[in-house]
Amino acid sequence: DKISMAAFAGPVSTWSQEQFRDSWLHPSRPLQRQLCREKPSELPLTAAAVASFLLLKRSRTRRQALSELEERISVRSRRRTRPISVENLKVKNDTQDDRNLLVLVDGSGLLHIYHSVYGTDGGQMHESHVVLRRFMQKLLTIKKTQKPSHMAVLLDHPTSRDERRKYLDTYKAHRDEKPEDLKSQFQRAPEACKAIGIASLFSEGYEADDLIATYAREARKDSLVKIISTDKDLFQLVDSNTVLMDHKGQVFTSQENVCPTQVTDFLALTGDTADNIPGIPGIGPKKASALLTQYTSLEGILEAVKEEKLKTGDKVHGQGMSKGLVDNLLEFGPRALGHRDNLIELKDVPGVDASSFREDFQLSTRTAGEPSEMSLVKALKKAIEECEAKEAIQ
């Protein structure tokens, strides 16, 4: 099992039966029960190799199990080899897009989602690690279904809000402190990503969204980009080469009838309650959408008000303009521009070489987190030899 194999860290010779049991990420699966009662040669290949080392006591039995395992691998390899024929050749479709596909996952958002479902109450430590387990499962599911050539998980740092709070000290101030059990999952998330062969990254002072924006803007020059997140702020990155979807695979096609280039103007007008960013009083989603449809941008709206092209009594796509609303645009318009430029627009993170994604985020052609069959056998052989040497000394 690829997730289970990812749980093992350190030299094979250091594994113990207790570590095997404690590290196992699927305690309810039939495979684990099989390990305790079936012959290793009858188990799946990687499970058989693990069982042969951990559950068999005598060196003679261990070597016999490994010999059977090698034979099974050899037989499987012969079965996989097929003669080349016209039927086996794949004809390349001229319309097929052979560019790289980079998948960027909002890891912080994903952890919050699973914590809301599986986390504990009262901020107590959650020792079953179910949140992190679901997190790893989802990442592997995304990798399997999206089939990216490159993939990375972007995470928030404890100081992620600092840069924006230099401009607005109440930015996200209404949010509760992370419970202790969620903090522990955040701390272990990079290690979990590494275990399953997926890159992860965070940056002090900047949010995961900023990192996503930094890499997406670079990658879409010659690659396709899929962003996995439920954060509406990321819709501003969508274009012909960039797609935003949630963790269930649902693609975001529009937001309040505004196009991606207008998202930051829209949020500046309405405000963003999720991030505690105030907008222009009296402007809700419908009015903001109507104004942007008519005047294209926040600057266009404010210019129309100043030049009295937009005045009291006018109707914009069925939305009436009261005197109070026009006055609010004049008074709070400059503040909205500042919020857009400093808080809502996603930043390019300084010091990050986004072009390095081609090397840093490239996925192995082998299943992430799972050792190759023969390399695992070799490692177990070495471990058995070490055990036999110790037994001989004793």
Side-chain angles (χ1 to χ4, degrees):
D1 186 284
K2 53 180 172 282
I3 301 181
S4 303
M5 292 306 302
F8 295 100
V12 180
S13 58
T14 64
W15 296 352
S16 67
Q17 199 163 348
E18 289 73 26
Q19 285 175 312
F20 175 67
R21 184 178 60 250
D22 294 341
S23 300
W24 195 261
L25 297 181
H26 294 287
S28 62
R29 290 201 171 189
L31 179 59
Q32 189 180 6
R33 293 196 295 272
Q34 283 183 319
L35 285 173
C36 299
R37 68 171 184 264
E38 302 289 347
K39 295 179 180 179
S41 59
E42 296 172 359
L43 298 178
L45 288 176
T46 51
V50 173
S52 67
F53 177 68
L54 294 173
L55 302 180
L56 301 176
K57 303 300 182 183
R58 292 178 296 176
S59 60
R60 183 177 179 182
T61 312
R62 290 180 193 143
R63 287 194 172 278
Q64 182 181 355
L66 281 176
S67 176
E68 292 176 5
L69 182 63
E70 286 182 288
E71 177 59 27
R72 289 183 62 200
I73 294 172
S74 176
V75 170
R76 274 176 47 138
S77 299
R78 290 196 295 271
R79 287 174 182 171
R80 287 172 183 164
T81 305
R82 295 189 301 171
I84 297 177
S85 63
V86 176
E87 290 76 14
N88 291 339
L89 292 175
K90 292 185 178 179
V91 180
K92 183 177 179 180
N93 187 348
D94 293 336
T95 62
Q96 181 180 347
D97 197 327
D98 58 357
R99 287 177 292 175
N100 288 330
L101 170 59
L102 171 63
V103 170
L104 299 169
V105 181
D106 178 6
S108 298
L110 201 57
L111 283 170
H112 277 287
I113 288 171
Y114 286 123
H115 182 264
S116 67
V117 178
Y118 302 105
T120 57
D121 297 325
Q124 297 179 355
M125 290 298 292
H126 189 35
E127 295 298 341
S128 68
H129 313 306
V130 66
V131 175
L132 205 60
R133 185 177 77 204
R134 297 291 184 182
F135 174 76
M136 295 171 72
Q137 285 176 321
K138 176 54 67 174
L139 292 179
L140 289 168
T141 299
I142 291 170
K143 178 179 179 292
K144 181 179 179 180
T145 56
Q146 299 302 324
K147 297 179 172 58
S149 59
H150 300 72
M151 182 173 175
V153 178
L154 294 313
L155 299 159
D156 286 333
H157 187 268
T159 64
S160 289
R161 303 173 187 177
D162 289 0
E163 284 298 315
R164 285 176 170 80
R165 282 187 173 172
K166 291 177 183 177
Y167 182 82
L168 181 68
D169 57 5
T170 57
Y171 176 74
K172 292 188 178 180
H174 64 308
R175 297 194 182 184
D176 296 332
E177 185 73 15
K178 285 189 186 77
E180 289 302 317
D181 62 315
L182 181 57
K183 285 182 181 178
S184 69
Q185 306 299 337
F186 264 85
Q187 292 168 359
R188 299 178 61 201
E191 182 183 352
C193 293
K194 183 178 179 181
I196 56 176
I198 298 174
S200 65
L201 193 69
F202 57 82
S203 180
E204 294 184 14
Y206 290 88
E207 299 182 358
D209 291 357
D210 295 315
L211 285 167
I212 290 173
T214 302
Y215 284 101
R217 288 168 181 151
E218 170 64 27
R220 65 190 179 190
K221 294 175 183 177
D222 59 6
S223 305
L224 300 175
V225 180
K226 288 187 178 181
I227 300 170
I228 313 294
S229 178
T230 56
D231 193 335
K232 61 182 179 295
D233 295 352
L234 290 165
F235 191 67
Q236 64 187 269
L237 299 173
V238 172
D239 64 7
S240 58
N241 289 331
T242 309
V243 175
L244 175 64
M245 62 176 62
D246 65 15
H247 60 290
K248 296 180 180 179
Q250 180 67 41
V251 177
F252 292 93
T253 55
S254 66
Q255 179 173 306
E256 301 291 348
N257 297 319
V258 297
C259 63
T261 56
Q262 295 175 317
V263 167
T264 55
D265 292 325
F266 176 84
L267 293 174
L269 286 165
T270 63
D272 190 349
T273 55
D275 293 343
N276 204 32
I277 300 173
I280 295 178
I283 294 186
K286 288 184 178 179
K287 249 186 192 58
S289 178
L291 288 168
L292 288 170
T293 301
Q294 180 70 27
Y295 298 104
T296 307
S297 66
L298 180 55
E299 287 90 347
I301 296 169
L302 298 180
E303 184 180 349
V305 172
K306 289 178 183 178
E307 296 178 358
E308 297 187 353
K309 294 178 182 178
L310 177 62
K311 52 187 183 297
T312 303
D314 288 350
K315 283 197 172 183
V316 180
H317 292 275
Q319 297 293 316
M321 299 297 294
S322 65
K323 182 179 184 305
L325 189 56
V326 172
D327 291 342
N328 285 343
L329 283 167
L330 287 170
E331 180 181 354
F332 296 102
R335 184 185 73 174
L337 284 170
H339 287 171
R340 183 197 66 183
D341 296 341
N342 294 283
L343 301 174
I344 300 170
E345 284 187 354
L346 299 175
K347 312 298 180 187
D348 285 329
V349 180
V352 172
D353 179 13
S355 63
S356 65
F357 86 89
R358 294 170 180 83
E359 295 78 32
D360 297 344
F361 298 165
Q362 187 167 14
L363 291 174
S364 169
T365 54
R366 181 168 52 83
T367 303
E370 184 176 350
S372 67
E373 294 165 349
M374 288 309 299
S375 65
L376 182 56
V377 170
K378 290 178 181 178
L380 289 172
K381 275 186 174 180
K382 183 178 179 182
I384 289 174
E385 289 171 359
E386 292 176 359
C387 288
E388 290 176 345
K390 291 180 181 178
E391 291 170 358
I393 294 173
Q394 293 174 355

